[in-house]
Amino acid sequence: MASDKETLLSMGFDPARVDWALRATNNRGLQPAMDHILENEGKPIPDPSAAAPTSASGSAAQPMDVDGDDEDEDALRRLVGTKTGASSAAAEEEAKSIKCSECGKVFKNTALANYHAEKSGHDQFEESTEEIKPLTEEEKQQKLTDLREKIAAKRGLKAQQEAKEALANETIRRKSGKDIGKLKDEMKAKELVKEAEQKRREKLEDAKAKAAVKAQIEADKKARAEKTAREKALRDGQPIVDAPASASSTPVATASSSSGTTGKDFKDTRLQIRMATGGTPYTTTLPSDATLREVAEFLAAQTLSVDVETVTFAQHFPRKTFSRDHFSKTLRELGLTPSAVLIAS
């Protein structure tokens, strides 16, 4: 049980005034000492050595009602004891956990509370005296099983998502592959068309070159023949003629002479060749001694639709059709000089 001095000190009184009150009341109890302190609250504290006789004499002269103050003293002690016990009990209470004010979950330490705050976004926490009991072995096994199930579920969901993504990627790849294949086919078809066109051009160029070579050969032959004829005429003392005049006796020459023009006077013949199927006409100038076959070769060099062995020619005015027998005759003999229009079919 606490003494009167300890009780007064716990109530917040000054230690010097407590000692003065106990000396003045000769330690007669808690209530007299408290009354003395309250009555002399503003007075200076006297020297203990000088106040001792006075206090002793005063205390001897004044009778004290000890029995009347016992009840008050017990009440004060109970009040002070209750306050002291409550403060000590509050002091003994310590925070044993951290509680989330928003969801009510209790956590054992700050690290777990911070993890919960990051996951949930909660930011209201308070200290709690609630103690978290350690898990039993069965609870630990149950929590471990639940955790494994959650991990397996997450892995399964992730696998499904990856499978969907892989399927989408495969679809895109196949579509792009088809597009690329179609593009390759189109490019290949264009290349084939280009190759065919190139071959056609080469064939036309070859035919033109062949026709030019043949025409040059024929021109060289005729030039040599004319030269030989001139030299022979000079040796024999005969007059020099440019071309034989035998063509004037043929029926074609007769037709030509009937028009008032002699074919032997023209060395070159200008021809316009039209296709029976229509289209742009072909114009050329050949020596008058060139054969109709050379005309066919010239036309075959210009277009692939014409074959030298099958083509035929006709003339509208005067109307005449040239057969294969006429291909060996010259343009002069056929009466096509100095110019003519032929229809090829």
Side-chain angles (χ1 to χ4, degrees):
M1 188 174 182
S3 62
D4 295 340
K5 182 177 180 179
E6 293 176 352
T7 302
L8 293 172
L9 291 174
S10 65
M11 293 174 70
F13 293 116
D14 184 51
R17 290 190 177 275
V18 171
D19 292 337
W20 179 27
L22 292 174
R23 288 196 305 272
T25 58
N26 292 325
N27 295 317
R28 284 179 295 149
L30 182 61
Q31 186 63 40
M34 184 178 296
D35 293 340
H36 183 276
I37 293 172
L38 295 176
E39 290 174 358
N40 301 280
E41 183 176 2
K43 297 179 181 180
I45 300 173
D47 187 5
S49 60
T54 306
S55 299
S57 60
S59 61
Q62 294 177 359
M64 294 298 297
D65 188 5
V66 178
D67 294 336
D69 294 337
D70 290 341
E71 295 179 0
D72 295 336
E73 182 178 350
D74 292 339
L76 286 173
R77 290 182 183 278
R78 285 196 300 271
L79 178 61
V80 173
T82 302
K83 291 181 178 180
T84 305
S87 61
S88 61
E92 290 178 357
E93 291 183 355
E94 296 180 357
K96 297 181 180 179
S97 60
I98 299 175
K99 183 177 181 181
C100 178
S101 302
E102 298 184 22
C103 62
K105 290 185 178 181
V106 181
F107 305 98
K108 186 176 181 181
N109 50 41
T110 306
L112 295 176
N114 290 335
Y115 179 77
H116 173 72
E118 293 177 358
K119 291 293 183 180
S120 62
H122 297 169
D123 57 357
Q124 301 296 328
F125 294 90
E126 62 182 356
E127 293 182 348
S128 175
T129 58
E130 183 179 351
E131 184 177 2
I132 300 177
K133 296 180 180 180
L135 298 176
T136 62
E137 292 297 328
E138 294 180 356
E139 291 175 344
K140 289 180 180 179
Q141 292 296 329
Q142 183 62 35
K143 281 192 172 293
L144 184 59
T145 302
D146 295 341
L147 184 59
R148 288 175 177 173
E149 291 178 355
K150 288 182 180 179
I151 293 174
K154 287 183 178 180
R155 288 178 178 174
L157 181 60
K158 185 177 180 181
Q160 293 178 359
Q161 293 177 351
E162 290 178 351
K164 290 181 180 179
E165 292 177 357
L167 181 60
N169 294 335
E170 180 65 17
T171 303
I172 294 173
R173 188 188 65 80
R174 289 181 179 179
K175 184 178 180 181
S176 61
K178 290 180 180 179
D179 295 340
I180 293 174
K182 185 178 179 181
L183 182 60
K184 288 182 177 179
D185 292 340
E186 292 177 355
M187 292 178 65
K188 187 175 181 180
K190 290 181 180 179
E191 289 295 332
L192 292 176
V193 172
K194 288 182 179 179
E195 290 178 1
E197 185 66 22
Q198 182 65 24
K199 289 181 179 179
R200 178 178 175 275
R201 285 196 297 267
E202 291 176 355
K203 187 175 180 181
L204 286 174
E205 291 175 358
D206 291 342
K208 289 180 181 180
K210 289 179 180 179
V213 169
K214 288 182 178 180
Q216 185 64 39
I217 291 173
E218 292 296 330
D220 292 342
K221 286 181 180 180
K222 291 175 181 179
R224 287 195 298 270
E226 290 177 357
K227 184 178 179 181
T228 302
R230 288 190 183 96
E231 290 176 353
K232 184 178 180 182
L234 289 173
R235 287 195 302 268
D236 296 342
Q238 297 178 356
I240 301 173
V241 294
D242 292 338
S246 59
S248 58
S249 60
T250 62
V252 177
T254 304
S256 176
S257 62
S258 65
S259 63
T261 305
T262 58
K264 64 180 181 179
D265 296 335
F266 301 97
K267 294 182 179 181
D268 296 326
T269 301
R270 180 176 177 82
L271 296 176
Q272 186 182 79
I273 305 171
R274 297 180 180 179
M275 301 298 297
T277 57
T280 304
Y282 300 96
T283 303
T284 183
T285 300
L286 295 175
S288 298
D289 294 330
T291 62
L292 189 60
R293 182 178 180 84
E294 294 180 23
V295 177
E297 291 175 352
F298 163 78
L299 185 60
Q302 304 302 316
T303 174
L304 295 177
S305 61
V306 174
D307 189 357
V308 177
E309 303 300 331
T310 59
V311 68
T312 60
F313 295 101
Q315 190 177 19
H316 285 177
F317 183 80
R319 184 174 297 276
K320 181 177 177 61
T321 301
F322 300 99
S323 63
R324 303 296 300 179
D325 296 336
H326 293 110
F327 273 44
S328 60
K329 295 183 178 182
T330 64
L331 301 179
R332 193 190 307 275
E333 293 173 349
L334 296 174
L336 300 177
T337 57
S339 65
V341 178
L342 298 177
I343 307 300
S345 59

